[in-house]
Amino acid sequence: MKTAVVTGATGFIGKAFTKYLLLQGYQVIAVVRKSSRLKDIAQERLFCVEADFDDYDDLHQHIKEANIFYHFAWSGAYGLDTANFEIQLKNTMATCKALVQAAKIGCKKFVLAGTVAELEVLEHIDHNVCAPRGTCIYAAAKLNAEMMCKTLAMEHSIEFNAGLFANIIGPGDYSHRSTNSILNMFIHNVKPKLVKGDGLNDWLYINDAVRLIEAMGEHGRNMKTYYIGHINLWPLRKIIEKARDTVAPNMQLTFGEYPDAFLTDYRYISTKELFEDTGCKAEYDFAQAVRETAEWVKQLDWGI
């Protein structure tokens, strides 16, 4: 039986991934702040280790062995804290500690959950003209963690992969990210104020995301960074229009009321490399993904 360590297992992606691994027959060791938040998925193959970032130096004393280590834990992944450099630097430190612990535990591979926002930082560096948004502090911390961990992985003889995540949607996401907020407006028949939306974007359903992450962990080539999303991307305008068609088909949309803050340049990553290396790709029907996500957002009862 394969054993996977999963940090951040009570978060949106981490919890969905933990559930998926259990369904695939893994034994999962969840590293969480509060194990009570996993009571709803408790079973004999799920073990919890309660630990905050400050406790990461001692993880190997509580986890005797495992095959693979998935690191999702990250504070300030959305909202104002994305621009808080102290929080983001602590995340980088904790990630490096997690990799060292993975090596001590005897894991074959360490997998880091990154973000597609890292591409914005790469573009700023490449052009040597920098006018970044506050979110770039979060993205730079992710990129920093990735590069430090690659170096540490070489030093500690452990394989490494990072996945740059698209906008992941689906049940279990309590955040007020733009994906949920737009769907919430559609549900309440309120027309959202939108950017022009000509740039490429991606909304990936959580069921596809967990499959792609496991494929990366099991079959990804050492030291590669993969895009976790669809192979073929759409302009943001088309994504929002298709979401509207599913949730509020009679609503007329106006694009361009806000300027595009930044257009992601996907030339900095291959969207098809994960499929080429693992044979796994996103397949969930987009309309169904939006429908199920909208039903979830409805239950949150945010109002407007």
Side-chain angles (χ1 to χ4, degrees):
M1 183 187 302
K2 292 181 179 178
T3 300
V5 178
V6 179
T7 69
T10 59
F12 169 41
I13 302 171
K15 189 170 186 178
F17 188 64
T18 297
K19 291 164 66 176
Y20 177 76
L21 289 182
L22 291 169
L23 287 172
Q24 301 307 305
Y26 285 76
Q27 177 174 272
V28 178
I29 302 172
V31 179
V32 294
R33 290 189 177 100
K34 293 183 178 180
S35 57
S36 60
R37 294 178 62 187
L38 292 179
K39 285 195 301 184
D40 58 321
I41 62 169
Q43 59 158 278
E44 62 181 10
R45 285 184 285 105
L46 175 63
F47 302 88
C48 292
V49 173
E50 291 193 342
D52 207 337
F53 285 165
D54 293 336
D55 305 313
Y56 272 24
D57 286 321
D58 300 322
L59 287 182
H60 69 284
Q61 296 180 12
H62 303 283
I63 304 171
K64 298 308 178 185
E65 60 180 356
N67 305 101
I68 190 165
F69 195 115
Y70 291 93
H71 185 60
F72 294 96
W74 197 276
S75 299
Y78 63 91
L80 296 177
D81 284 345
T82 58
N84 186 314
F85 70 89
E86 292 183 340
I87 290 174
Q88 299 305 328
L89 287 172
K90 286 180 181 177
N91 284 318
T92 298
M93 175 71 79
T95 302
C96 292
K97 287 184 177 182
L99 184 139
V100 173
Q101 292 300 301
K104 287 184 177 181
I105 293 164
C107 295
K108 180 185 177 183
K109 180 182 281 188
F110 184 90
V111 177
L112 172 62
T115 171
V116 72
E118 292 176 46
L119 303 183
E120 180 176 347
V121 177
L122 291 174
E123 184 174 355
H124 284 311
I125 294 170
D126 194 27
H127 291 171
N128 200 27
V129 177
C130 200
R133 305 174 293 149
T135 304
C136 286
I137 292 177
Y138 159 68
K142 284 281 192 180
L143 182 60
N144 189 19
E146 178 186 331
M147 295 310 300
M148 285 187 172
C149 282
K150 283 181 175 177
T151 306
L152 289 169
M154 292 289 290
E155 178 184 338
H156 291 274
S157 300
I158 183 173
E159 292 185 10
F160 176 88
N161 284 130
L164 304 190
F165 291 6
N167 291 308
I168 298 178
I169 64 172
D173 181 10
Y174 289 89
S175 79
H176 286 257
R177 292 182 303 117
S178 61
T179 48
N180 276 355
S181 296
I182 289 171
L183 292 178
N184 187 54
M185 291 185 197
F186 288 165
I187 290 165
H188 290 88
N189 201 33
V190 174
K191 189 170 83 168
K193 292 186 177 181
L194 301 167
V195 296
K196 192 173 181 182
D198 289 338
L200 295 176
N201 207 285
D202 199 0
W203 289 14
L204 178 71
Y205 194 53
I206 187 64
N207 290 22
D208 272 332
V210 296
R211 291 175 48 253
L212 295 176
I213 295 165
E214 189 210 7
M216 173 175 58
E218 290 298 322
H219 306 293
R221 296 188 181 181
N222 188 29
M223 290 296 168
K224 273 195 174 184
T225 296
Y226 291 101
Y227 178 67
I228 306 298
H230 291 93
I231 293 175
N232 299 311
L233 306 182
W234 296 338
L236 179 60
R237 175 194 293 260
K238 182 176 179 180
I239 292 172
I240 293 174
E241 286 175 338
K242 283 186 170 292
R244 181 274 317 273
D245 292 345
T246 302
V247 182
N250 296 321
M251 182 179 291
Q252 298 297 313
L253 297 177
T254 302
F255 291 89
E257 294 184 75
Y258 288 126
D260 288 300
F262 185 83
L263 299 178
T264 301
D265 190 340
Y266 285 91
R267 290 176 297 180
Y268 286 91
I269 191 76
S270 169
T271 61
K272 62 183 180 180
E273 201 160 6
L274 183 62
F275 175 67
E276 291 172 343
D277 288 351
T278 70
C280 187
K281 63 180 179 179
E283 297 175 334
Y284 208 84
D285 179 73
F286 182 78
Q288 184 63 22
V290 168
R291 194 173 296 115
E292 292 178 20
T293 305
E295 286 301 314
W296 161 258
V297 172
K298 225 181 263 187
Q299 295 175 33
L300 299 177
D301 195 24
W302 286 344
I304 291 293

